[in-house]
Amino acid sequence: MIRFVVRRLLLVVPVLAGLVLLLFAWTRALPGDPARALLGQRATPSGIAAINELYGFDRPLLVQLGIYVRQLATGNLGTSGFTGEPVVDSFVSRFPATIELGLSALVFAVVVGVPLGYFAARRNGRWLDSLTVGGSLLGVVIPVFFLAYLLKIVFAQWLGWLPTDGRQDVRINATHVTDFYVLDGLLTGELDAALNALKHLVLPALALGTIPLAIIVRITRASVIEVLGDDFVRTARAKGLAQRTIRVRHVMRNALLPVITTIGLQTGLLLSGAVLTESVFAINGIGSYLFTAISQLDYAVLQGYILFIALTYALVNLVVDVLYGVIDPRVRLS
């Protein structure tokens, strides 16, 4: 297993190297002038020249690439052209909000999606299956921002059950140790703060997790239906094995491989979808930070965020490969 993990880690290196080159070329090809965007109405030829010299935009592209690679080698993602803060520091301060939201949405999608897809497959062609397929199709086609506004209007404004925005009520004097608000409330014993943070997570997590939920339901359903028709399942039934044993050891274990792949891919989708969700619910996370950086052509923030997503994808794929090896030993051997 260790050799298997090391091989997968080594494959990540050339992928990230190629991504750095593509990312550098893409950001430099974007329309617009970052110096002019930074100065706004105060832009003058001398001011633009000074900004270009300060951030190195006037240097040859190869020189800029060399500086960027050296910065990455030391863990430096650059400095934001608008806030003047190091991008790493900005990410660290906003990282807990995005991860807390993304994990909540992923847990919601997996805990609801996998059992729902399984039961829909067990009742293939019946009303539950038809309702599940139709609902999952609806979940895929509804845009995240539209669903976010809809949930906000219904459950926050009309019914008043849940808060409209933010991560926690400002009137709560909570102690923040890790900046993961729910975890902080549990660690410090401030259960009212943890409960309040959970209430603030419900609507954003539902909005962000609906599309992954719909995809996981459909993949689980299709995978279980395929496995139920395999010969080894019929053989297990003919041997007289208990239905619970057949479902857990034979059906679900073999059906989980494509489902795990889907869950891994949805992790990156959650990070990209957080841009809109955080903006709608006024969550000060990495997604809302990127939304501002796009409008301001802040190269350092754009490059740092995309690298963050790429590294997350690489780590998630590594976890998926390891889970493959645990579920199916043939993957390790191959």
Side-chain angles (χ1 to χ4, degrees), residues 78-150:
T79 303
S80 171
F82 285 80
T83 64
E85 298 178 356
V87 176
V88 172
D89 294 345
S90 299
F91 275 14
V92 169
S93 63
R94 293 170 171 83
F95 178 80
T98 300
I99 296 301
E100 193 173 52
L101 173 59
L103 285 178
S104 301
L106 185 62
V107 168
F108 161 67
V110 173
V111 170
V112 177
V114 173
L116 190 58
Y118 173 78
F119 287 117
R122 290 290 311 279
R123 290 157 179 80
N124 186 18
R126 301 180 185 177
W127 66 270
L128 178 61
D129 181 39
S130 302
L131 184 62
T132 302
V133 172
S136 63
L137 181 61
L138 185 63
V140 171
V141 300
I142 296 180
V144 173
F145 68 91
F146 177 78
L147 181 60
Y149 277 117
L150 185 62

Side-chain angles (χ1 to χ4, degrees), residues 44-99:
T44 61
S46 59
I48 292 174
I51 292 296
N52 287 333
E53 181 179 0
L54 177 63
Y55 291 100
F57 297 141
D58 58 342
R59 300 181 184 181
L61 289 179
L62 288 179
V63 175
Q64 294 185 42
L65 177 60
I67 295 174
Y68 181 55
V69 172
R70 285 199 301 271
Q71 288 178 342
L72 290 180
T74 59
N76 182 9
L77 297 179
T79 303
S80 171
F82 285 80
T83 64
E85 298 178 356
V87 176
V88 172
D89 294 345
S90 299
F91 275 14
V92 169
S93 63
R94 293 170 171 83
F95 178 80
T98 300
I99 296 301

Side-chain angles (χ1 to χ4, degrees), residues 250-274:
H250 297 277
V251 176
M252 284 305 298
R253 183 165 185 173
N254 288 277
L256 276 178
L257 291 177
V259 176
I260 290 174
T261 303
T262 303
I263 294 172
L265 294 175
Q266 295 309 305
T267 303
L269 178 64
L270 290 174
L271 291 176
S272 59

Side-chain angles (χ1 to χ4, degrees), residues 58-293:
D58 58 342
R59 300 181 184 181
L61 289 179
L62 288 179
V63 175
Q64 294 185 42
L65 177 60
I67 295 174
Y68 181 55
V69 172
R70 285 199 301 271
Q71 288 178 342
L72 290 180
T74 59
N76 182 9
L77 297 179
T79 303
S80 171
F82 285 80
T83 64
E85 298 178 356
V87 176
V88 172
D89 294 345
S90 299
F91 275 14
V92 169
S93 63
R94 293 170 171 83
F95 178 80
T98 300
I99 296 301
E100 193 173 52
L101 173 59
L103 285 178
S104 301
L106 185 62
V107 168
F108 161 67
V110 173
V111 170
V112 177
V114 173
L116 190 58
Y118 173 78
F119 287 117
R122 290 290 311 279
R123 290 157 179 80
N124 186 18
R126 301 180 185 177
W127 66 270
L128 178 61
D129 181 39
S130 302
L131 184 62
T132 302
V133 172
S136 63
L137 181 61
L138 185 63
V140 171
V141 300
I142 296 180
V144 173
F145 68 91
F146 177 78
L147 181 60
Y149 277 117
L150 185 62
L151 291 173
K152 192 173 180 178
I153 291 173
V154 174
F155 292 99
Q157 296 182 6
W158 290 357
L159 299 176
W161 291 351
L162 296 167
T164 58
D165 49 34
R167 298 181 62 196
Q168 202 169 52
D169 196 324
V170 294
R171 293 170 296 181
I172 292 182
N173 187 19
T175 304
H176 299 305
V177 180
T178 64
D179 280 338
F180 292 92
Y181 285 6
V182 177
L183 179 61
D184 287 344
L186 297 176
L187 291 176
T188 59
E190 299 172 349
L191 299 182
D192 58 333
L195 180 61
N196 187 265
L198 275 175
K199 288 181 178 180
H200 280 77
L201 274 175
V202 171
L203 292 183
L206 288 177
L208 186 58
T210 298
I211 292 180
L213 167 66
I215 296 174
I216 290 172
V217 167
R218 296 179 72 89
I219 296 298
T220 304
R221 173 185 175 275
S223 182
V224 171
I225 289 176
E226 181 180 356
V227 172
L228 284 173
D230 287 341
D231 292 337
F232 66 88
V233 175
R234 287 193 290 267
T235 302
R237 287 172 177 164
K239 288 181 176 180
L241 293 179
Q243 288 296 319
R244 179 180 177 83
T245 302
I246 295 175
R247 293 170 186 172
V248 175
R249 292 187 180 180
H250 297 277
V251 176
M252 284 305 298
R253 183 165 185 173
N254 288 277
L256 276 178
L257 291 177
V259 176
I260 290 174
T261 303
T262 303
I263 294 172
L265 294 175
Q266 295 309 305
T267 303
L269 178 64
L270 290 174
L271 291 176
S272 59
V275 176
L276 297 175
T277 308
E278 289 180 2
S279 300
V280 173
F281 290 98
I283 297 175
N284 189 25
I286 298 178
S288 59
Y289 187 44
L290 176 68
F291 184 81
T292 304

